[in-house]
Amino acid sequence: MSMKITVNDLTLEEKLNLLTGKDMWHTYGANGKLKELFMCDGPCGVRTLYADGTEKGVSFPCSCNMGNTWNEELIRWEGELIADDCIMKGTDILLAPGVNIKRTPLNGRNFEFLSEDPYLSGLLGKAFIEGAQSRGI
């Protein structure tokens, strides 16, 4: 896959399929023209679902607890450790960190977000991303 592919090299159907992906966890490879990328959930550790239905992974403290530390260095280290787990599992894209702003306690996924403060979420989200990207994830 050393040759460069441009949008003009894709059929209309291939372009449309880029909008949805191959399945829940893989990007669409456009019939071998593009590399398929594997994605995993990851705000609290890399979640991998296996064919037999089991899920395995290292579990880190939830993001809201990590955000309460206000510790950029710790969050960066967490990003590095989670990225190392991604590498071991063949993950290309980590679906993390959670930086959405908590607006209501009725949201069942608040534990995945770093903070309800936008400044702190941005600061810690940046640290997490830098840690993960330092490992190529």
Side-chain angles (χ1 to χ4, degrees), residues 41-104:
D41 280 341
C44 305
V46 181
R47 183 176 75 124
T48 306
L49 185 62
Y50 294 95
D52 65 1
T54 61
E55 294 182 42
K56 297 179 183 170
V58 176
S59 183
F60 287 80
C62 63
S63 298
C64 65
N65 286 347
M66 294 299 285
N68 286 336
T69 68
W70 292 61
N71 187 331
E72 292 175 71
E73 186 177 319
L74 178 66
I75 304 296
R76 180 184 169 82
W77 185 46
E78 179 190 32
E80 292 171 2
L81 294 173
I82 290 175
D84 288 342
D85 204 17
C86 286
I87 292 166
M88 289 190 311
K89 293 179 178 178
T91 303
D92 298 298
I93 299 171
L94 179 65
L95 303 173
V99 294
N100 192 24
I101 304 304
K102 305 172 194 176
R103 292 179 181 89
T104 172

Side-chain angles (χ1 to χ4, degrees), residues 3-128:
M3 65 184 234
K4 280 203 171 203
I5 300 294
T6 68
V7 73
N8 293 329
D9 297 319
L10 302 175
T11 66
L12 177 60
E13 183 178 346
E14 289 169 338
K15 291 173 191 173
L16 291 172
N17 283 329
L18 288 174
L19 300 173
T20 59
K22 175 183 170 186
D23 57 35
M24 181 81 167
W25 301 108
H26 294 88
T27 61
Y28 175 67
N31 300 313
K33 295 177 184 175
L34 303 170
K35 178 185 176 196
E36 288 183 11
L37 301 175
F38 177 55
M39 300 174 281
C40 282
D41 280 341
C44 305
V46 181
R47 183 176 75 124
T48 306
L49 185 62
Y50 294 95
D52 65 1
T54 61
E55 294 182 42
K56 297 179 183 170
V58 176
S59 183
F60 287 80
C62 63
S63 298
C64 65
N65 286 347
M66 294 299 285
N68 286 336
T69 68
W70 292 61
N71 187 331
E72 292 175 71
E73 186 177 319
L74 178 66
I75 304 296
R76 180 184 169 82
W77 185 46
E78 179 190 32
E80 292 171 2
L81 294 173
I82 290 175
D84 288 342
D85 204 17
C86 286
I87 292 166
M88 289 190 311
K89 293 179 178 178
T91 303
D92 298 298
I93 299 171
L94 179 65
L95 303 173
V99 294
N100 192 24
I101 304 304
K102 305 172 194 176
R103 292 179 181 89
T104 172
L106 301 176
N107 177 0
R109 302 198 70 109
N110 280 340
F111 70 95
E112 291 186 334
F113 307 130
L114 288 164
S115 173
E116 53 201 29
D117 178 76
Y119 179 75
L120 182 60
S121 286
L123 204 63
L124 299 180
K126 177 180 181 266
F128 184 100

